[in-house]
Amino acid sequence: MKKIFIFDTTLRDGEQVPGACLNAREKQEIALQLARLKVDAIEAGFPISSPGDFKAVEAIAEKVKGPAIVALARAVRKDIETAWNAIKKAEKPRIHVFLGTSDIHIQKKFGLDREKALEKGLEALKFAKSLCPDVEYSTEDASRSDPDYLVQVLEQVIAAGATVVNIPDTVGYAVPQQFGQLIAYLRTNVSSIDKVVLSVHCHNDLGLATANSLAAVENGARQIECTMNGLGERAGNASLEEIVMAIKTRKDYFQFFTAVNTREIMKTSKLVSRLMGMPVQANKAIVGSNAFAHSSGIHQDGILKDRATYEAIRPEEVGITEHAMVLTARSGRHALRHKISDMGYDLQEQEFETVYNQFLSVADKKKRVYDEDVAVIVQDVIFAHLDQSIFYTLESYKVTTGNGELPEARVKLRRDDVVLEATTQGDGPIDAIFKAIDKVVGSYHKLEDFQVKAVTETKEAMGIATVRVSREGLRALGRGSSTDILKASAKAYVQAINRLHWLLQRNSEARPVK
Ligand code: KIV
Ligand code: ZN
């Protein structure tokens, strides 16, 4: 059996999703989890895009061991230099240079002809190679490029030292059989192809990203670029969990394996979804909440007789543990500490004490505290200090409402040593709270999205609220959790506003989207 390399681009292509902007600590938390998942490469970001992204990539390069740490760069010296500076301390650094090969990209984006574009790409590749031994070259929009031009480009970039050559279906245009044929054509016609890892990067505009990636593998590709939960530009990228589980479940057919520890899949999916504020659809393959739920009586009967009747994949294989250990108010510090480290978090003593206190107050309200609840508390605490550059903190709120009455909210926010308060009415209690917060803050942002979700399925569940706000083209995400959804929503809204203010302050540094 041959190995398929898994290149995760959740932190780069995935992070291009509108509103999914992660801060450095969040990116690092995801990268550490991706390392536990045992992906082969983590594309940590696009360092030239903003100083914030540069720092996040740099921190990942220093702290995350195991996978190659990859930084993206256009075929431009400054991009490449910046990418290298961000990853040079990594255990296994890789620069990823990309340049279009389709006529539409060459002519419309760059105003060049094929020959000049190839020269530009080669110059960039050679420069990257002079800095870093591992250089990946992507022929952007490859699936809409002339295959013979692709052959010519690949021959030359391999001769110039590329270690990985990537064939992207940038606009999600390919269909499996044809994409497989393109890969087979490149394998046959690029004489030096065996010297490099042949990679693919498929987008999901036609819902074919996973199918196209697997067709490519059957025809000789050995690296798949993908993202957790299929996040990514537009309709997203090939989904890591689908690719990995297809290769594992159908190893009889594919005869390949990956190094991914599939038991970490669910945890990774939840972490990414929570931090990016992107809920996973219930029927999403592998990681959706219904992916292993059997509702038909016939199926349930079959499952009880023998799980294999209606289950191609065992939930345990992807890390579904059925709330393995439930904590209560009496569990104590030791059990909580054990649970937290089992979940892969590494807390400082002070952070642990804060988590413990919050855990006790949740445990007082709920009888049982599940893994998901603990994860929410831990994340609230570890990310809280990031928001210390904050402008406002929620002091208190009070809502009065009743049958036929317009709800009224009184909100107190602290800014430095001053407590500011406002009272307003709204269409519902949450609307009233948000309007009162707006009145205190006095800013003109737009509420783009608001969601509340129960973390677990019990009556006393913790609610997690996600709020997205925008202004002047900048977007910020806030999250808040509590057993009281009004409080969770208020916390999320204040956090989103704080982050938006912070982004506006450094407006000049705001990231250009690729
Ligand atoms: O979709 C694409 O072509 C990309 C490249 C940068 C690999 O994301
Ligand atoms: Zn892409």
Side-chain angles (χ1 to χ4, degrees):
M1 287 224 255
K2 291 203 179 109
K3 179 169 172 178
I4 299 300
F5 293 94
I6 298 296
F7 174 115
D8 180 278
T9 181
T10 308
L11 296 174
R12 198 277 299 168
D13 217 324
E15 215 230 354
Q16 285 173 211
V17 174
C21 187
L22 296 165
N23 61 41
R25 171 95 189 239
E26 289 168 331
K27 280 191 109 173
Q28 201 178 300
E29 211 47 53
I30 292 177
L32 286 166
Q33 180 55 29
L34 290 170
R36 279 179 220 118
L37 184 66
K38 297 212 180 316
V39 300
D40 298 286
I42 296 174
E43 188 161 49
F46 184 24
I48 193 78
S49 68
S50 75
D53 207 41
F54 179 92
K55 284 203 189 98
V57 176
E58 193 180 36
I60 290 171
E62 281 179 28
K63 300 215 169 87
V64 180
K65 307 290 170 213
I69 304 298
V70 187
L72 185 69
R74 289 168 297 188
V76 173
R77 261 183 111 84
K78 187 80 193 129
D79 278 34
I80 295 168
E81 224 163 43
T82 310
W84 173 240
N85 285 332
I87 54 165
K88 62 185 174 200
K89 295 200 185 128
E91 193 180 54
K92 296 177 214 155
R94 182 188 299 172
I95 300 177
H96 178 187
V97 178
F98 71 100
L99 184 69
T101 44
S102 63
D103 287 337
I104 184 159
H105 275 224
I106 292 174
Q107 288 159 17
K108 296 275 161 58
K109 270 177 72 176
F110 311 118
L112 297 174
D113 58 24
R114 288 184 181 185
E115 218 165 287
K116 286 271 172 332
L118 177 51
E119 265 171 39
K120 180 178 163 79
L122 278 175
E123 198 186 308
L125 180 87
K126 286 179 190 156
F127 179 55
K129 191 75 188 174
S130 73
L131 302 171
C132 180
D134 192 5
V135 179
E136 171 164 340
Y137 191 88
S138 274
T139 51
E140 194 185 20
D141 205 17
S143 55
R144 294 193 302 168
S145 305
D146 171 2
D148 292 321
Y149 179 59
L150 271 182
V151 169
Q152 193 191 343
V153 171
L154 295 186
E155 287 285 9
Q156 300 211 27
V157 295
I158 296 169
T163 45
V164 180
V165 289
N166 183 38
I167 311 301
D169 178 25
T170 303
V171 296
Y173 170 80
V175 290
Q177 206 179 359
Q178 196 185 28
F179 194 60
Q181 281 163 4
L182 173 66
I183 299 302
Y185 186 79
L186 297 175
R187 279 217 70 87
T188 313
N189 292 287
V190 178
S191 60
S192 49
I193 201 80
D194 287 332
K195 293 194 182 140
V196 293
V197 174
L198 179 56
S199 168
V200 289
H201 173 113
C202 297
H203 278 270
N204 205 29
D205 300 68
L206 293 173
L208 292 170
T210 297
N212 286 333
S213 307
L214 293 173
V217 154
E218 284 189 84
N219 285 282
R222 291 294 173 263
Q223 173 180 280
I224 300 181
E225 301 198 354
C226 46
T227 58
M228 208 59 225
N229 301 340
L231 290 173
E233 188 78 29
R234 304 181 312 279
N237 288 61
S239 131
L240 181 147
E241 62 277 13
E242 291 173 17
I243 301 278
V244 167
M245 290 313 291
I247 291 173
K248 184 172 183 188
T249 309
R250 296 306 313 275
K251 58 180 176 298
D252 60 315
Y253 175 76
F254 288 111
Q255 301 280 317
F256 292 122
F257 71 96
T258 74
V260 167
N261 175 3
T262 60
R263 288 177 185 265
E264 293 289 323
I265 284 180
M266 205 63 200
K267 200 191 285 177
T268 317
S269 162
K270 285 189 172 162
L271 182 71
V272 167
S273 162
R274 221 177 270 136
L275 294 186
M276 288 202 175
M278 294 279 154
V280 175
Q281 80 197 53
N283 61 326
K284 168 77 184 63
I286 316 294
V287 292
S289 56
N290 288 347
F292 296 96
H294 300 273
S295 59
S296 124
I298 297 172
H299 288 210
Q300 287 176 350
D301 180 59
I303 288 279
L304 290 173
K305 287 176 176 145
D306 183 338
R307 291 170 66 172
T309 51
Y310 284 101
E311 221 171 57
I313 309 163
R314 294 217 148 203
E316 309 83 274
E317 283 182 64
V318 297
I320 295 176
T321 53
E322 308 266 337
H323 308 309
M325 181 168 89
V326 180
L327 300 176
T328 69
R330 280 179 299 283
S331 297
R333 279 189 170 72
H334 181 72
L336 181 66
R337 209 185 284 279
H338 186 267
K339 165 71 68 191
I340 290 171
S341 93
D342 233 29
M343 293 171 92
Y345 292 103
D346 189 12
L347 296 188
Q348 288 154 16
E349 203 43 45
Q350 209 187 340
E351 287 176 326
F352 175 77
E353 281 307 312
T354 319
V355 168
Y356 182 63
N357 288 330
Q358 293 198 10
F359 160 77
L360 286 181
S361 80
V362 170
D364 270 350
K365 293 188 192 118
K366 296 180 59 168
K367 285 190 190 67
R368 293 151 163 245
V369 183
Y370 295 101
D371 288 8
E372 290 86 342
D373 300 318
V374 176
V376 167
I377 299 171
V378 168
Q379 282 170 27
D380 265 7
V381 170
I382 58 184
F383 297 124
H385 79 271
L386 284 174
D387 290 306
Q388 268 162 16
S389 55
I390 46 178
F391 304 87
Y392 301 100
T393 42
L394 179 69
E395 279 279 302
S396 65
Y397 70 93
K398 186 167 181 212
V399 184
T400 45
T401 184
N403 218 354
E405 274 174 41
L406 265 188
E408 186 172 271
R410 193 168 95 208
V411 169
K412 290 187 186 170
L413 300 185
R414 175 178 291 279
R415 180 157 190 176
D416 302 322
D417 292 333
V418 187
V419 175
L420 304 152
E421 75 173 84
T423 304
T424 41
Q425 292 184 324
D427 288 338
I430 292 176
D431 186 50
I433 290 178
F434 285 9
K435 283 189 172 135
I437 292 173
D438 285 348
K439 206 164 160 187
V440 172
V441 172
S443 70
Y444 306 99
H445 49 265
K446 183 170 166 224
L447 176 63
E448 298 256 354
D449 188 28
F450 166 61
Q451 298 176 37
V452 187
K453 205 171 167 264
V455 178
T456 50
E457 282 162 10
T458 59
K459 221 165 54 191
E460 315 83 354
M462 291 257 285
I464 180 153
T466 312
V467 174
R468 227 180 280 279
V469 292
S470 70
R471 183 168 153 191
E472 294 170 23
L474 294 171
R475 288 194 178 87
L477 175 79
R479 276 185 307 272
S481 59
S482 170
T483 46
D484 166 357
I485 59 162
L486 295 183
K487 187 167 179 190
S489 309
K491 277 164 67 178
Y493 195 51
V494 172
Q495 189 184 65
I497 290 172
N498 280 328
R499 290 181 175 186
L500 187 64
H501 278 222
W502 182 76
L503 285 172
L504 286 161
Q505 263 190 359
R506 55 179 273 270
N507 201 353
S508 53
E509 295 172 1
R511 55 177 29 223
V513 176
K514 192 208 108 196

